[in-house]
Amino acid sequence: MAHCDPSASKAVDGGLSEEFAFAEHHGSAGRRVVLITSGGTKVPLESRTVRFLDNFSSGRRGASSAEYFLDSGYAVIFLHRHRSLYPYTRLYTGVNLLDSLQLETGKEDAGQILVDQNALPNIAKVLKRYQAVKAAGLLLPVEFNTLSEYLHLLKAAAQALSSIGSKAMFYLAAAVSDFYIPAYEMPEHKIQSSNGPLQISMKMVPKMLSPLVKDWAPKAFVISFKLETDPSILLERAWRALETYNHQTVVANVLDTRRGYVVVVTKDTQQELVLTDEEVQKEVEIEDRIVSNLTEAHSEFMSRQV
Amino acid sequence: MAHCDPSASKAVDGGLSEEFAFAEHHGSAGRRVVLITSGGTKVPLESRTVRFLDNFSSGRRGASSAEYFLDSGYAVIFLHRHRSLYPYTRLYTGVNLLDSLQLETGKEDAGQILVDQNALPNIAKVLKRYQAVKAAGLLLPVEFNTLSEYLHLLKAAAQALSSIGSKAMFYLAAAVSDFYIPAYEMPEHKIQSSNGPLQISMKMVPKMLSPLVKDWAPKAFVISFKLETDPSILLERAWRALETYNHQTVVANVLDTRRGYVVVVTKDTQQELVLTDEEVQKEVEIEDRIVSNLTEAHSEFMSRQV
């Protein structure tokens, strides 16, 4: 378990006191704070890692949700996989930067370089919003690569957020591996293909939701995500998670339809959120609906705590 | 083998005739053409893929090498992993696009958006070079995600390049998986963690170097890469590859030192290319040395073919 147990962490990195200060600052200003986790985790197969197991996730849901939480007045800690999608910037991720720039004409050197606003739709509006969020200090990015980095950073962030009680929300959208190879079972060097076919034996990752809900941030409003490929087992899995971890909400979704359909499941309720064809065409995002559903539920949750 | 055998490919995508035309056009203009492969391959563990095995590779070596080949007068087919580093653009990959842009001051709406040239060092020079390469049609990008996409696209590109004989170079820098799970052994749905610890059993990927050298492009100049974490086995592995596949050159490198040290191995020679500390400080790139070594060897190779 050495590789996966956050309590085995040696050094606490410089970012943690920053998270604490962030939570304190916004909490005492009466602002709610959401920790969003986003992107997949990397699970090394060798100590000197050449190969790793990964989870499919571009980080789209986490990054777009961050924007809607910011629009709703939340401060956001964005715990994301290195190079996964980032709020606002995500809108231009399919564009090659150099295809969107133009050298000012008529000036040999030292000319300006201009953005081709056709190549980056809505860039002026998006840039203004990004700069406003940044200037107000409302978005704190924290990066992970591996599963074990993720686990350590989640624990630290959870403890930082516990200081603001029920004003804290956890929105656990990252695609976290269920399996890992303990350090003591991992080969040091690159696995040689000349040794023949590969057998990999992986252990279960301890579920972090239990200690998060029980110990690290017991007053917080906690949402986990459940992604399945088989729709027939989706709700049962969601209910089982709520029973096991005793948190507030599961957002359940199926791989193929995740951008237009989710079910928000609590112990007593289940609400389907669906985008119509017309909404899809108008580029409405399902995260807008998810976030507005959850911010409302968070308000009710907070009012019950007082 | 169904999942990995390029001959099992159903449709040949639209990009292939493009590669053929690209090779013909540049070849008949007397230009050499290099196919660079770059980035890691994704190996799905489920048919509806949530989890996959990946190889560590940012695509840095392939992307920077492409620039040096273009500087040396080559036309470049850049077969790269989706979202891995891209020639020229790679220089700004650590910068958030929105942090490098400024709204023109004093104009409420409809103002220009300018690049902060301090945030993007040398951007004017790099942009000019990028635009010149693009205007001259010297760089043809082709993208893959999975191992099987990579294998199909490599075969197609190799066949397209066979038409220009010894003027073609293959620079196989991609980090290609040695292992995969055949389609018929793959579960359809997401593997459930409730089933307990995970056992993965992977087959060997057929080596593409054999048919490439023997059948697909028998007159081309072919370079493969060998990355190890254990320096003590590096050269032996390189020699074994040359013996097995009968191609011209292996560029051998060790994970920890790959940015400052490689060995260019042929059947009769081995040349160490090393950056001095001073060169590293001046941001000289080892790919500059690798490419100039290989373009020279390619000239000799071509002269021997006539």
Side-chain angles (χ1 to χ4, degrees):
Chain A
M1 201 55 62
H3 194 70
C4 261
D5 178 0
S7 66
S9 174
K10 273 176 291 181
V12 160
D13 86 5
L16 302 187
S17 50
E18 207 183 348
E19 285 161 42
F20 205 84
F22 185 88
E24 285 278 306
H25 168 73
H26 290 294
S28 62
R31 206 168 281 125
R32 305 182 196 172
V33 181
V34 61
L35 175 86
I36 298 176
T37 69
S38 186
T41 59
K42 210 163 151 170
V43 175
L45 301 189
E46 303 124 339
S47 312
R48 305 195 190 193
T49 310
V50 174
R51 300 188 178 89
F52 57 94
L53 190 78
D54 209 338
N55 276 52
F56 164 81
S57 171
S58 66
R60 189 183 197 273
R61 176 147 286 161
S64 71
S65 298
E67 296 169 20
Y68 295 110
F69 277 114
L70 288 162
D71 288 346
S72 308
Y74 281 69
V76 175
I77 300 178
F78 190 62
L79 179 58
H80 65 291
R81 165 75 170 271
H82 179 63
R83 293 213 181 134
S84 65
L85 295 188
Y86 195 80
Y88 307 109
T89 318
R90 70 170 173 115
L91 297 162
Y92 307 109
T93 203
V95 183
N96 182 331
L97 166 70
L98 296 176
D99 284 329
S100 67
L101 302 183
Q102 295 166 329
L103 292 151
E104 202 178 10
T105 49
K107 309 242 176 132
E108 232 348 90
D109 284 315
Q112 302 269 25
I113 296 176
L114 306 174
V115 169
D116 172 4
Q117 299 192 34
N118 294 319
L120 303 178
N122 299 316
I123 181 67
K125 192 176 145 217
V126 172
L127 182 57
K128 272 180 205 164
R129 180 74 185 123
Y130 174 78
Q131 290 178 340
V133 163
K134 205 174 161 181
L138 289 168
L139 176 60
L140 178 66
V142 183
E143 286 193 356
F144 63 86
N145 257 307
T146 63
L147 172 69
S148 85
E149 285 165 7
Y150 169 83
L151 295 175
H152 292 125
L153 291 168
L154 176 64
K155 181 181 181 184
Q159 291 174 329
L161 280 176
S162 71
S163 66
I164 61 164
S166 65
K167 280 208 281 287
M169 185 197 285
F170 289 82
Y171 185 87
L172 305 171
V176 181
S177 180
D178 292 312
F179 306 105
Y180 78 110
I181 302 180
Y184 61 85
E185 287 188 6
M186 221 186 283
E188 179 185 358
H189 286 296
K190 183 183 180 188
I191 299 162
Q192 291 296 322
S193 61
S194 51
N195 297 346
L198 183 61
Q199 296 289 335
I200 308 173
S201 202
M202 307 191 83
K203 294 236 180 338
M204 308 281 295
V205 173
K207 292 289 184 186
M208 289 300 118
L209 258 179
S210 281
L212 194 157
V213 172
K214 269 195 232 152
D215 308 321
W216 301 341
K219 292 183 180 161
F221 187 63
V222 179
I223 298 112
S224 71
F225 281 73
K226 184 62 82 183
L227 175 77
E228 295 292 346
T229 57
D230 181 356
S232 72
I233 62 169
L234 184 65
L235 285 181
E236 180 219 318
R237 299 278 157 187
W239 290 320
R240 189 185 298 181
L242 287 172
E243 257 173 47
T244 309
Y245 305 114
N246 209 31
H247 60 308
Q248 283 71 43
T249 303
V250 172
V251 177
N253 58 141
V254 172
L255 188 64
D256 291 342
T257 56
R258 69 194 185 284
R259 292 195 180 168
Y261 175 76
V262 305
V263 191
V264 179
V265 186
T266 71
K267 281 199 179 91
D268 317 308
T269 63
Q270 64 192 65
Q271 290 167 273
E272 296 190 329
L273 307 181
V274 195
L275 293 185
T276 63
D277 291 347
E278 206 189 329
E279 288 168 330
V280 170
Q281 230 164 15
K282 285 184 185 161
E283 300 187 350
V284 176
E285 294 182 309
I286 189 97
E287 289 78 13
D288 192 357
R289 302 292 156 81
I290 299 172
V291 168
S292 94
N293 182 295
L294 293 175
T295 54
E296 206 171 300
H298 190 194
S299 298
E300 283 170 33
F301 176 81
M302 285 171 64
S303 68
R304 285 198 305 272
Q305 308 297 305
V306 184
Chain B
M1 200 57 60
H3 193 69
C4 260
D5 178 1
S7 66
S9 174
K10 271 176 291 181
V12 161
D13 85 6
L16 301 187
S17 51
E18 207 182 348
E19 285 160 44
F20 205 83
F22 185 87
E24 284 279 306
H25 169 73
H26 290 294
S28 61
R31 206 169 279 125
R32 305 182 196 173
V33 181
V34 60
L35 174 85
I36 298 176
T37 68
S38 186
T41 60
K42 213 162 150 168
V43 175
L45 301 190
E46 303 124 337
S47 312
R48 304 195 190 193
T49 309
V50 173
R51 299 187 178 89
F52 57 95
L53 190 76
D54 208 337
N55 275 52
F56 164 81
S57 172
S58 66
R60 190 184 197 272
R61 175 147 288 160
S64 70
S65 298
E67 296 169 20
Y68 295 110
F69 276 114
L70 289 162
D71 288 346
S72 308
Y74 281 69
V76 175
I77 301 177
F78 189 62
L79 179 57
H80 65 290
R81 164 76 171 270
H82 180 63
R83 292 213 182 135
S84 66
L85 295 188
Y86 195 80
Y88 307 108
T89 318
R90 70 169 175 117
L91 298 163
Y92 308 109
T93 202
V95 183
N96 182 331
L97 167 70
L98 297 175
D99 284 330
S100 68
L101 302 183
Q102 296 166 329
L103 293 151
E104 201 179 10
T105 49
K107 311 243 175 131
E108 232 347 270
D109 284 315
Q112 302 271 25
I113 296 177
L114 307 174
V115 168
D116 172 4
Q117 299 192 33
N118 294 319
L120 303 177
N122 299 317
I123 181 68
K125 194 178 143 215
V126 172
L127 182 57
K128 273 179 205 162
R129 181 75 185 125
Y130 174 79
Q131 290 178 339
V133 162
K134 205 174 161 182
L138 289 168
L139 175 60
L140 178 66
V142 183
E143 286 193 354
F144 64 86
N145 258 308
T146 63
L147 172 69
S148 84
E149 285 165 7
Y150 169 83
L151 295 176
H152 292 123
L153 291 168
L154 176 65
K155 180 179 182 185
Q159 291 174 329
L161 279 176
S162 71
S163 66
I164 61 164
S166 66
K167 279 208 281 287
M169 185 196 286
F170 289 81
Y171 184 87
L172 305 171
V176 182
S177 180
D178 292 312
F179 307 104
Y180 78 109
I181 302 180
Y184 59 86
E185 287 189 7
M186 223 185 285
E188 179 186 359
H189 286 296
K190 183 182 179 189
I191 300 162
Q192 291 296 322
S193 61
S194 51
N195 298 345
L198 182 61
Q199 297 290 333
I200 308 173
S201 205
M202 306 190 85
K203 293 235 179 341
M204 308 281 295
V205 173
K207 291 290 182 185
M208 290 300 118
L209 257 179
S210 282
L212 195 157
V213 172
K214 268 194 233 153
D215 308 321
W216 301 342
K219 293 185 178 160
F221 187 63
V222 178
I223 297 112
S224 70
F225 281 72
K226 183 59 83 181
L227 175 76
E228 294 292 346
T229 58
D230 181 356
S232 72
I233 62 169
L234 184 65
L235 285 181
E236 180 219 318
R237 299 277 157 187
W239 289 321
R240 190 185 297 181
L242 287 172
E243 255 173 48
T244 310
Y245 305 114
N246 209 30
H247 60 308
Q248 284 70 42
T249 303
V250 172
V251 177
N253 58 142
V254 172
L255 187 65
D256 291 343
T257 57
R258 69 193 185 284
R259 292 194 179 169
Y261 175 77
V262 306
V263 191
V264 179
V265 186
T266 70
K267 280 199 181 91
D268 316 309
T269 64
Q270 64 191 66
Q271 290 167 271
E272 297 190 329
L273 306 181
V274 194
L275 293 184
T276 63
D277 291 348
E278 208 188 327
E279 289 170 329
V280 171
Q281 233 166 12
K282 284 184 184 161
E283 301 188 348
V284 176
E285 294 183 310
I286 189 98
E287 289 79 12
D288 192 355
R289 301 294 156 81
I290 299 173
V291 169
S292 92
N293 182 295
L294 294 174
T295 54
E296 205 171 300
H298 190 194
S299 298
E300 282 171 33
F301 175 82
M302 284 170 65
S303 68
R304 284 198 305 273
Q305 307 297 303
V306 183

